[in-house]
Amino acid sequence: MKEDRRIPFELRLLVLCLAGGLPALLGLGLVLASGDFAPDLSIALVSAASLAWLVFGFAARRFVIYHLQTLSNLLEALREGDYSLRGRRARYKDSLGEVMREVNQLSETLRAERLGAREASALLMKVVDAVDIAVLAFDGRKRLRLVNPAGERLLGRSESALRDQTAAALSLESLLEGPERQTIQHRFAAGSGRWEVRISRFREGGIPHYLLVVTDLSRALREEERKAWQRLIRVIGHELNNSLAPIKSMSGTLQKLLSREPLPEDWREDTARGLDVIGNRADSLGRFMTAYSMLARLPSPRRSKVDLRPLVERVAALDQRVPVLCRGESLSIHVDRDQIEQMLINLVKNAVDAAEQTGGEVRVEWRSEGDGVRISVIDSGPGISNPDNLFVPFFTTKPEGTGVGLVLCQQIVEAHGGVLTLVNRDDARGCVATVELPVS
């Protein structure tokens, strides 16, 4: 290391202080030498001036160095993280006081920031510990540095046993090297199932780190599956009871009728009516099962380029009960023509059914919106009375309805990557069915 041969600051400061009084001392010596003064007096005056010169020079040096050392101690305390020290003489209109005041304000700012950072960090750790999602952080060498209680349960080991373990030793290296977000079937110490894995990369101290988040989807899927089965069984049971109860009742009535001796004179008419009721309920049950089969076996879309205007106008011309107005720009979309046409037929039919009750009209409007298209089917009917059950399979308020029309429309739209919504109109009475589809 090259030796620093520069003169120390303290020595340069002392030299400058003494150099400032040296001309006055030399001037005094010249005046005494050229004047008619007694030698003893001259020596005494020069000695007193020299002593004062040295005393004030060293005092000025000590004053400056003292305050510089005070500032140095304050800055060292800030560097060490001690924000409790404060400098005195922090006054306005004073150069030294301004410096002290700025250092004090810097100390207060750093203290507040450190307190806020610690509180935020403590809150974050509380949240990480409380969530039922495994959170694991790895350093650049893929060694585990942080794990929350959910992560301990996932890996079946305590935090002390997991810390500093490599991702390879924990059989997690393949997850760290995988895509940022994926759903996998995997077996951990906590058990096997479907898991959502998310990988995030961040830097700490300039070194790359990995954040691994693992969410158990099996429990949520099982709960949603259970709820779906409950809803489906409730609806199917309701529909079956609606059909089987009259069939059973009518068959019992006919059995009693035919067991009477002698038979009543109108037994043929009663038997025919009873068989007609049984046939109608059997047909209704058959339609229900057909609708269920159609809902469960919807094929994947076979996309092709479709001009939207002719498609909408053809659908609008199918039902002549209520005028259906079409308005929109000419544009093309890549969709399954048959499925989109069936979806529009269902929506327009529902709108016509509603508008027919009030003698209103139906409008179909479409326009491009960003990288997609928005199709709106607007009616002036009575509006939606039960919005919570719009997309519940087999729920219907129509006497001859099957309750699968809107559900089928929703499945078709979602299969194309779009969204279907139905809401009551704000500007007038009626309903608006909105379909948002990507152009390609």
Side-chain angles (χ1 to χ4, degrees):
M1 182 176 180
K2 186 176 180 181
E3 183 180 358
D4 189 358
R5 298 183 178 179
R6 292 179 297 178
I7 301 175
F9 173 78
E10 292 86 348
L11 181 58
R12 282 183 289 160
L13 179 62
L14 178 61
V15 170
L16 289 175
C17 291
L18 295 179
L22 183 60
L25 185 63
L26 294 177
L28 176 62
L30 291 175
V31 170
L32 293 176
S34 60
D36 188 13
F37 296 96
D40 293 340
L41 179 60
S42 298
I43 294 174
L45 290 174
V46 170
S47 299
S50 299
L51 180 61
W53 173 51
L54 293 175
V55 169
F56 284 111
F58 277 96
R61 171 184 175 276
R62 181 175 179 277
F63 177 81
V64 174
I65 291 177
Y66 170 78
H67 287 92
L68 288 178
Q69 288 178 341
T70 300
L71 289 173
S72 176
N73 292 335
L74 291 174
L75 294 175
E76 181 183 9
L78 295 180
R79 180 173 56 83
E80 296 294 334
D82 183 2
Y83 307 127
S84 61
L85 298 181
R86 295 291 184 273
R88 295 185 301 170
R89 301 181 182 179
R91 295 173 295 189
Y92 291 96
K93 298 181 180 180
D94 183 300
S95 298
L96 181 61
E98 289 287 344
V99 174
M100 288 293 186
R101 190 170 63 86
E102 292 298 328
V103 172
N104 291 343
Q105 289 183 350
L106 176 62
S107 177
E108 182 63 27
T109 301
L110 293 177
R111 186 195 68 81
E113 289 183 355
R114 184 178 69 171
L115 180 60
R118 286 185 175 179
E119 291 176 347
S121 178
L123 177 60
L124 178 61
M125 292 306 300
K126 289 289 185 182
V127 172
V128 170
D129 290 343
V131 297
D132 194 21
I133 298 175
V135 179
L136 304 96
F138 295 84
D139 61 15
R141 296 183 299 170
K142 297 182 179 179
R143 291 186 176 275
L144 187 64
R145 294 303 181 192
L146 181 144
V147 59
N148 68 339
E152 297 178 33
R153 293 192 297 270
L154 178 72
L155 301 178
R157 298 161 67 179
S158 64
E159 190 270 345
S160 58
L162 291 171
R163 183 176 289 275
D164 294 331
Q165 293 289 324
T166 63
L170 299 174
S171 301
L172 299 176
E173 189 168 14
S174 61
L175 301 182
L176 291 181
E177 296 175 352
E180 292 186 355
R181 182 172 182 175
Q182 59 177 326
T183 301
I184 61 172
Q185 184 77 25
H186 194 77
R187 182 175 185 83
F188 293 98
S192 60
R194 291 183 64 81
W195 310 84
E196 183 186 42
V197 179
R198 296 189 182 188
I199 302 295
S200 301
R201 292 170 176 82
F202 63 97
R203 289 183 175 272
E204 183 176 343
I207 301 175
H209 287 64
Y210 302 86
L211 183 66
L212 175 63
V213 179
V214 182
T215 308
D216 183 9
L217 299 180
S218 300
R219 185 185 307 172
L221 290 175
R222 285 194 298 269
E223 181 65 20
E224 290 301 319
E225 187 180 42
R226 183 183 64 82
K227 292 180 179 179
W229 276 111
Q230 287 178 345
R231 290 195 299 267
L232 181 60
I233 291 172
R234 185 169 60 251
V235 172
I236 291 178
H238 175 73
E239 186 67 25
L240 289 177
N241 287 332
N242 286 344
S243 297
L244 293 179
I247 291 175
K248 182 178 180 180
S249 174
M250 188 56 63
S251 62
T253 301
L254 291 178
Q255 186 177 13
K256 292 179 181 179
L257 175 65
L258 296 176
S259 64
R260 293 171 59 182
E261 291 291 345
L263 292 174
E265 294 181 359
D266 58 349
W267 70 272
R268 293 182 182 275
E269 297 177 2
D270 292 340
T271 302
R273 285 196 298 269
L275 292 176
D276 186 56
V277 170
I278 293 175
N280 289 336
R281 297 316 305 166
D283 290 341
S284 175
L285 189 59
R287 289 195 302 269
F288 170 79
M289 297 308 299
T290 301
Y292 175 77
S293 300
M294 180 177 61
L295 192 64
R297 294 182 298 183
L298 181 68
S300 300
R302 300 178 62 181
R303 299 175 184 267
S304 62
K305 187 176 181 180
V306 177
D307 292 332
L308 188 56
R309 179 184 293 276
L311 178 64
V312 174
E313 291 178 346
R314 185 168 60 253
V315 170
L318 294 178
D319 200 327
Q320 301 294 328
R321 292 175 295 164
V322 171
V324 179
L325 307 178
C326 300
R327 184 170 59 196
E329 55 189 295
S330 297
L331 52 87
S332 299
I333 54 178
H334 286 78
V335 294
D336 187 313
R337 179 190 297 272
D338 295 335
Q339 291 188 7
I340 294 299
E341 185 173 14
Q342 184 61 48
M343 179 268 298
L344 289 175
I345 289 174
N346 289 343
L347 293 181
V348 171
K349 182 179 181 301
N350 288 344
V352 169
D353 291 341
E356 192 178 22
Q357 300 178 33
T358 59
E361 64 175 12
V362 175
R363 302 197 314 270
V364 182
E365 301 176 353
W366 65 92
R367 69 175 186 272
S368 60
E369 192 169 274
D371 57 351
V373 60
R374 176 189 288 264
I375 307 172
S376 299
V377 180
I378 308 169
D379 68 68
S380 54
I384 303 172
S385 59
N386 193 349
D388 295 336
N389 293 318
L390 281 176
F391 299 105
V392 175
F394 313 114
F395 175 85
T396 181
T397 57
K398 301 178 181 179
E400 299 298 328
T402 59
V404 299
L406 286 178
V407 181
L408 182 62
C409 292
Q410 185 185 51
Q411 285 195 2
I412 292 174
V413 173
E414 291 181 349
H416 285 77
V419 178
L420 170 63
T421 57
L422 278 87
V423 295
N424 287 321
R425 295 173 59 179
D426 295 330
D427 56 342
R429 186 173 61 173
C431 169
V432 180
T434 303
V435 178
E436 297 180 17
L437 292 172
V439 173
S440 59

